[in-house]
Structures are given as structure tokens and as C-alpha cells.
Amino acid sequence: MVANESVRKFVKEAAAMCRPDDVVWCDGSEEERERLTRVAIRVGDLIPLDQQTLPGCYLHRSAANDVARTEHLTFVCSREQDDAGPSNNWMAPDEAYDRLGRIFDGSMAGRTLYVVPFLMGPAGSPFSKVGIELTDSVYVALSMRAMTRMGNVALEHLGDSDDFTRGLHSKADLHIDRRFICHFPEENTIWSVGSGYGGNALLAKKCMALRLASALGAREGWLAEHMMIVGIESPEGETTYVCGALPSACGKTNLAMLVPPESMKGWRVFTVGDDIAWLRVGDDGRLWAVNPEAGFFGVVPGTNSRTNPNAMRTIQQNTIFTNVGLKPDGGVWWEGHDDPVPRSVTDWRGRSWNASKQGTVAHPNSRFTVPAGECPSISPERENPNGVPISAILFGARRQKLVPLVYQAFDWAHGTFLGATLASETTAAATGAVGVVRRDPMAMLPFCGYNMGDYWNHWLSMGKRLTRPPKIFRVNWFQRDDRGGFLWPGFGENLRVLRWVIERSRDRGTADESPIGYLPKPSDIDCNGADLPDGAMSRLLHVDRDGWRTNLRSQSEFFEKFGDRLPAGIREQHDGLRQRLRAG
Ligand code: SAT
Ligand code: MN
């Protein structure tokens, strides 16, 4: 397949700057996967695992300083700083091209530049988008193959058009002082240098499918969201599609691959996506969702046959593990694995762990990269060019206190407010302190490619176009008791909560009105067969009015930052909550 003139020009100009020894065009073939895998083994990017028990599986060890997204080095380079808004780092486009250009200059000497065409969304869908990533990392090229529809399929979709995302990536010297992830929404361009980590280097994912796509969606009238997508089939055979936004490493993948508890016979769950949803208003006035990706980049620690049996089956083959422990028999291990810690294991840095027992065996943000087709619960609707119709949207976060297990927004505008006021305890998915509560609207704080005030406005305007809008819910699986234990068992048991969500989104289930939204009564959540202590459900659904009044102040402080870009509709919601809490 010969690429069109604009693609060839893009590659030629980048090669002139980065000066690789070689340029290799990826076509997505099986032969190519084998060839690139051999190269990756030779240069030390991949270590083969035991091919008998883990066929097609490899281990990658990253540089020790390059294990998570680096939000402080991530920039939105719009012409006007106000268009990036107060929640993004901003750099002027000229300055960014200049600073990064100096690092890219000659950075690929002695290396190969891989041209990786990729398609986001199903082939043949009018909503799908093409990108080309140029990278000097064979690990990135192979990961992009697992995570996207990669190769000729993308060039075919593009045809003669020059409408594609231009992504340039070089590991350069992996030094943190020369690491930048820059987005140019006005030029549909990404320059990322100095990191090989997924969220920084697999440009199709956060950089394109969220940051650039969110800005594009605002211009074109659709939404790019940090959401899993799941289809839930009832014993009566009725399927309901639900989207859910949760911050990184808060269980989106587990939710997307949920296995119903024993006692919920006849329920089935189908995975459409685990991380990103592109949402449009359909001709029927409903919200339709497509998963633009074609694979999973999931958190490994804590994954086991209780928490996520489908993920365990998914990662038995054709998986790249990054920064997990390696056993002498070529098997892998991580904290929270089904098996006890092995007597002899090499940690994620490649050191023998048992003698020193220093740190964890697997890095807390170690990952699996695997094509979606390996997942036993994958939905056939994943390839539907129109996507799936969404009946409910969940906004979830990690909160030990205050936020009840589940409650429902009064309407779309209130639901937008529930998303805008989302806050979560930080995780290892980004560098920095873990466990600190921070505001993370729609779980998009690190991923919204434009001014968040405008983004909330766009959400409100989407609602006006939806004649049959999905219902919106806030969920929190993470409440703790006084001794620090989780109050709710989570994982497969979350289907009990989703069952109420489904009933409500079909205008059937019952609820009480509270100042924060519609709350289920404890008896509305079917806990038959669940191992819950007496009174637990009342605590899980308790509304702590004093706590919410205090929370109002933190909401105001956050909203202040957006000045006159804060939509009146959000301010009204905040005032409404204040009044309802006062009346209570
Ligand atoms: O950003 S990544 O895609 O690497 C993972 C995440 O933080 O969601
Ligand atoms: Mn994510």
C-alpha cells in the first residue's frame, strides 16, 4: 500500500529532522509482527516469556524513571493560553516546536524510524479517525499494533485525504529534563519526546483519542471521553449499554470485564471498551458510543481470578507485560496475583527480589498490552460502525468517605455537574503523590485538550440535542469503614448496583429524592447472596449533609479558577445544591 502525498511529506520532513538510519513502514501484517518482535528481542526491548504457557507473551522493562504519565511535562499548545485553560500546562506553539525540535534534532541517529499508520474506530465508520505515529521505539510500534487497527487498514481509510493526526515520538535519551508531551490541537499534531511509557508514547491513546479528539469534538459537536463501555444482558435477554468515567487505575477495566456474581444467574456482561468512548448524538436523539481503540492497556497489580477473571484469561496469550516480576520458569508475577510470591523472582527493574525484598516485585503501575480480541467477554458490537446506544453514564472515583455507593442525577444538566465535581484519590498511573484527593472532572483532568469551562459548556449543549438522553449516575465503590476496610465488596458485586442503574435508566426502579440526587433505598439494591454485614447498605447510602456543605467550598474554589469561562449552567447547579443542603 503506497501512502498518499501528505503522509509521505510528513514522514520525509520528520526524518530530515530526526535523521534515523532507516525508515520502516508498518503494514500491520502477521509477518511484520514476527519481524518486529525479533528486533525487539535483539535490542532488549522484549524478553520472551515461557511460550508453552504464555504463547506470544513478552516482558518489557522500562527505564526506572519512566513508569507513568508525567502530567507536569504534558502541554496543550494552543495559540491562545486561555484556550488551554487553567487545568492544562500551556506552551506557545512556536516555543514548543523550537524547544522540542532541538531535542528531536538528530535524536534517531543509529535507530530505525517506524511509520505507524493507525485507525481509531471501526473500519468503514464515518466517525473513525486516522493518525500516523512516527516513532523510534519498536516497543511502541508493537504496542500500537495491539492497541489500534494498525497498518494498511488506516491508509486505506485515509485515501487521498490529508486529514490525519500527525504524531512524532522519540525516546531521545529518556532524560526527564528532555521529556515533553506537547499537543497542538489547531494543527492536529502531537510531539512527544523523552519517554517510552504508554500514556506518553502510544500517541493514539490519551494524546490523540482524548486530548486532540476532545478539542475536535467540541468543534464538530461530539464528545471524546475517558470512559469504559459495557453491554449488560438481563436474564430476559434485554441488553443495556452503560458508559463509565473513572480516573486512571480506579477499576474501569475491571468494570468493563465484570463477571456476574453466582447469585445473579442469567446476567451477562459484554466488553465494548475499557478506557475511551467517542460519543455522538444519533438521528434517534439517543447518545451513541464507539470505542476508538482495539486493545487494552490495563493495570496489572491486583488483577487475579477473583477481581477480574476475564482479564486473567485475556492475558494468557499475545500480551506485552510492562514492569511486572519475572519467574525463573519464564512466568510472570505481581502483587495481588492468585499465586503466593514465588521463592525466586526478578523484580520489575531486573533485580533478584527475594534476597533484599526491597520495594514491590511489580511496579504499582505495571501494565498489560493486549488486543481486545483476546478478551472472552468482548462484545461483537465493538465493530459496529454506528457504535452502541447508551442508556446510562456513570461517573466514579476513589473516595474513602462522603460519596455514597450510587445516586442518580436529576437530569442531564445536573449529571454534567456531578461529572464536573468529580474528585478522586490519586493513583500510581501518574507520577506524584498517591492517595491525595484532587478534583478530576469527568475523570478528564489530565486529558481534556481545551479549556474545561468550554468543555462543560459543550456537555450542557450536547444535552440540549439529546431528545432521549441517558440517565447519569455517580458511583463510589471505595468507601472505607473506621478500620480502613472497604465497606463494599466491589468487582463482580458491582453488578448489583448496575442493576438498579439499569432499572432507573429504563424509568422503572424506585428511589428517594435527596439534596445530592435520587438515592436508592437500601432495599432497592439486591444484596441476595452478597456477604454484607448488617447495616452496611445504610452506611453505603448515607448522605452526610455537613460533609457536603464543607465540600461546597472546595467546589467553589475549583470553579473560581475558570473565571468567565465557567458556564452559567454549572454555577446554577452549584447554587441549587447549596440551597437544597440548606433546606435539609
Ligand atoms: O495514560 S495511560 O494510558 O498510560 C494509563 C492511564 O493513566 O489511564
Ligand atoms: Mn485511562
Side-chain angles (χ1 to χ4, degrees):
M1 173 98 210
V2 181
N4 76 38
E5 193 51 45
S6 332
V7 176
R8 277 186 285 151
K9 181 162 174 279
F10 167 54
V11 174
K12 208 168 141 194
E13 286 172 4
M17 173 166 65
C18 302
R19 298 195 293 281
D21 284 9
D22 234 345
V23 175
V24 168
W25 289 72
C26 294
D27 60 16
S29 66
E30 191 50 34
E31 179 278 321
E32 174 181 270
R33 187 179 69 81
E34 287 165 16
R35 182 162 37 85
L36 296 191
T37 301
R38 281 197 299 273
V39 172
I41 295 169
R42 195 176 67 235
V43 300
D45 267 14
L46 293 184
I47 300 169
L49 295 169
D50 175 30
Q51 297 298 305
Q52 294 296 316
T53 53
L54 295 167
C57 293
Y58 298 87
L59 170 66
H60 171 75
R61 290 195 185 117
S62 75
N65 78 346
D66 190 27
V67 291
R69 280 181 293 103
T70 38
E71 294 179 1
H72 62 296
L73 303 173
T74 302
F75 294 82
V76 170
C77 307
S78 46
R79 279 190 286 274
E80 301 294 330
Q81 179 162 6
D82 242 12
D83 291 338
S87 59
N88 278 311
N89 302 311
W90 177 80
M91 209 189 285
D94 287 349
E95 183 191 345
Y97 285 127
D98 186 59
R99 280 176 78 177
L100 275 69
R102 286 166 208 266
I103 308 172
F104 276 118
D105 190 29
S107 64
M108 297 187 188
R111 300 182 186 172
T112 298
L113 183 161
Y114 296 94
V115 180
V116 185
F118 60 93
L119 176 65
M120 301 305 278
S125 168
F127 310 131
S128 296
K129 305 272 178 207
V130 173
I132 313 278
E133 173 163 357
L134 312 182
T135 178
D136 58 3
S137 161
V138 67
Y139 162 74
V140 166
L142 282 164
S143 301
M144 288 287 288
R145 183 196 157 90
M147 294 298 300
T148 70
R149 297 156 178 93
M150 186 271 252
N152 288 344
V153 60
L155 293 180
E156 272 156 30
H157 191 95
L158 186 65
D160 288 337
S161 168
D162 72 346
D163 182 14
F164 62 92
T165 299
R166 289 156 168 77
L168 177 59
H169 168 253
S170 172
K171 291 181 292 184
D173 64 1
L174 291 177
H175 197 291
I176 193 130
D177 289 348
R178 284 176 289 284
R179 181 176 303 165
F180 294 97
I181 299 96
C182 287
H183 305 73
F184 305 86
E186 285 125 355
E187 280 136 46
N188 199 5
T189 292
I190 306 151
W191 279 20
S192 166
V193 69
S195 168
Y197 172 73
N200 293 337
L202 309 181
L203 303 186
K205 198 172 179 55
K206 304 298 158 114
C207 300
M208 177 195 175
L210 286 178
R211 295 195 191 94
L212 290 187
S214 61
L216 185 67
R219 292 199 292 274
E220 294 181 354
W222 52 281
L223 288 166
E225 294 298 327
H226 193 203
M227 290 179 178
M228 63 96 215
I229 313 166
V230 84
I232 304 168
E233 190 186 286
S234 72
E236 294 75 38
E238 180 184 69
T239 301
T240 307
Y241 290 96
V242 178
C243 275
L246 287 102
S248 303
C250 290
K252 279 193 301 302
T253 307
N254 294 339
L255 192 56
M257 297 183 187
L258 186 150
V259 173
E262 277 292 315
S263 58
M264 290 184 74
K265 292 257 178 303
W267 289 84
R268 295 173 71 189
V269 174
F270 296 96
T271 311
V272 181
D274 81 325
D275 196 40
I276 299 179
W278 285 356
L279 304 170
R280 291 173 191 271
V281 182
D283 294 338
D284 58 359
R286 288 192 290 178
L287 189 70
W288 289 76
V290 159
N291 170 16
E293 300 190 282
F296 307 117
F297 183 64
V299 176
V300 174
T303 304
N304 59 51
S305 50
R306 183 182 68 87
T307 59
N308 195 336
N310 279 327
M312 288 303 280
R313 272 179 241 135
T314 305
I315 61 179
Q316 293 306 302
Q317 59 284 307
N318 297 330
T319 302
I320 301 175
F321 292 91
T322 299
N323 291 339
V324 299
L326 174 64
K327 298 195 292 184
D329 63 1
V332 280
W333 194 85
W334 51 81
E335 280 69 18
H337 194 280
D338 286 316
D339 301 338
V341 56
R343 255 208 293 267
S344 162
V345 66
T346 308
D347 73 9
W348 64 275
R349 296 169 195 250
R351 302 183 303 205
S352 164
W353 182 82
N354 308 75
S356 69
K357 296 204 167 59
Q358 263 181 18
T360 52
V361 172
H363 186 275
N365 192 38
S366 51
R367 297 275 172 161
F368 56 78
T369 308
V370 63
E374 301 296 351
C375 176
S377 59
I378 198 72
S379 165
E381 291 299 305
R382 175 176 82 93
E383 295 290 351
N384 190 326
N386 293 318
V388 293
I390 298 300
S391 300
I393 293 178
L394 314 176
F395 287 117
R398 210 179 260 278
R399 293 299 293 271
Q400 301 197 10
K401 301 246 174 295
L402 188 70
V403 180
L405 179 63
V406 62
Y407 59 98
Q408 183 190 350
F410 298 122
D411 54 23
W412 178 275
H414 183 229
T416 302
F417 174 73
L418 295 191
T421 50
L422 204 64
S424 192
E425 289 141 24
T426 52
T427 69
T431 53
V434 168
V436 183
V437 177
R438 71 164 184 183
R439 297 252 154 231
D440 189 351
M442 280 82 173
M444 282 286 279
L445 181 76
F447 308 123
C448 182
Y450 63 111
N451 191 307
M452 261 202 156
D454 298 350
Y455 167 69
W456 295 324
N457 207 23
H458 181 39
W459 259 85
L460 293 169
S461 69
M462 286 283 290
K464 297 200 177 104
R465 289 165 50 212
L466 290 162
T467 51
R468 297 158 71 191
K471 304 289 195 300
I472 301 181
F473 300 81
R474 178 79 172 81
V475 296
N476 179 23
W477 322 130
F478 300 95
Q479 279 185 85
R480 308 257 192 162
D481 61 22
D482 298 334
R483 288 194 310 261
F486 286 105
L487 275 170
W488 175 248
F491 306 108
E493 306 292 323
N494 291 336
L495 187 58
R496 301 177 186 281
V497 174
L498 295 180
R499 192 171 173 181
W500 180 77
V501 163
I502 291 167
E503 288 297 295
R504 292 296 294 170
S505 57
R506 293 184 176 274
D507 292 323
R508 296 192 298 230
T510 50
D512 283 340
E513 198 166 329
S514 88
I516 60 171
Y518 296 122
L519 266 170
K521 290 192 213 353
S523 58
D524 289 333
I525 309 280
D526 173 14
C527 286
N528 200 0
D531 188 16
L532 268 192
D534 282 350
M537 194 43 83
S538 314
R539 290 179 64 185
L540 282 159
L541 295 172
H542 175 67
V543 178
D544 166 10
R545 283 166 189 255
D546 288 338
W548 280 100
R549 285 187 195 108
T550 310
N551 194 32
L552 278 172
R553 275 200 293 281
S554 130
Q555 291 184 3
S556 307
E557 275 163 31
F558 182 65
F559 285 146
E560 293 283 296
K561 294 189 188 149
F562 295 87
D564 60 7
R565 304 285 269 251
L566 181 74
I570 296 291
R571 211 181 285 281
E572 279 160 24
Q573 289 294 334
H574 178 78
D575 291 344
L577 174 62
R578 182 191 307 279
Q579 273 155 23
R580 291 192 300 272
L581 284 166
R582 203 177 284 147

